[in-house]
Amino acid sequence: MAFLIAMSGELKGQKFEISKERIVLGRHPNCDIILNDGAASSQHCYVARRGNRYILHDLNSTNGTQLNFQRVTEAELQPKQVIQVGATELMFDAPSSEIPSSVLASNTQVVIDDAPAIAAPKSFSSVSPFGARHLDNRGLWLAAFIVTGLLALTGLAFFLYAMFQ
């Protein structure tokens, strides 16, 4: 029997047998595997058995489903592949007797979404609870600092000139 092993998140270490023709992953209490993950949709994706093959299918989730770090809409699963739903990673595995040797020898057919993947931020300032820092205005601040300094020096020079005259 094929199964999923949770590799991260609240479910880490748990093993889920794929005992039905289709198991649904998501936040909703009616899902077969309930993910308490804010990045997971209520019904995020499913794993279905089609003969001796297992298919991962995204259910138009908001943040997408990834298989081995590639966003997919549907893909044929092979043993030891990692499914990522939000911050939760699950490894698919099945006894080699269950998977036809032609599937094990072939490459996985992956359908990649046309939607752009969510990129990691350049820095964590954009996700800071204190708001984003605007470092692109450094030149403007430097010019203002220089002008203020020159005005202060001019004022000091005028003051010293007036004192000694």
Side-chain angles (χ1 to χ4, degrees), residues 5 7 40 80-81 87 115 130 138-139 158-159:
I5 300 172
M7 307 293 287
K80 308 298 184 209
Q81 288 185 315
F130 305 109
R138 275 190 251 180
F158 180 74
F159 176 75

Side-chain angles (χ1 to χ4, degrees), residues 94-110:
S96 57
S97 60
E98 250 186 84
I99 308 289
S101 59
S102 61
V103 172
L104 292 173
S106 69
N107 288 334
T108 301
Q109 181 80 14
V110 176

Side-chain angles (χ1 to χ4, degrees), residues 63-125:
N63 294 318
T65 302
Q66 293 190 10
L67 179 63
N68 290 343
F69 308 106
Q70 290 186 1
R71 190 170 176 159
V72 297
T73 53
E74 185 170 285
E76 189 172 318
L77 291 170
Q78 294 180 16
K80 308 298 184 209
Q81 288 185 315
V82 177
I83 300 166
Q84 185 175 359
V85 176
T88 306
E89 295 176 330
L90 302 118
M91 183 180 67
F92 171 78
D93 207 356
S96 57
S97 60
E98 250 186 84
I99 308 289
S101 59
S102 61
V103 172
L104 292 173
S106 69
N107 288 334
T108 301
Q109 181 80 14
V110 176
V111 179
I112 299 175
D113 256 349
D114 290 336
I118 298 172
K122 291 180 182 176
S123 73
F124 286 102
S125 64

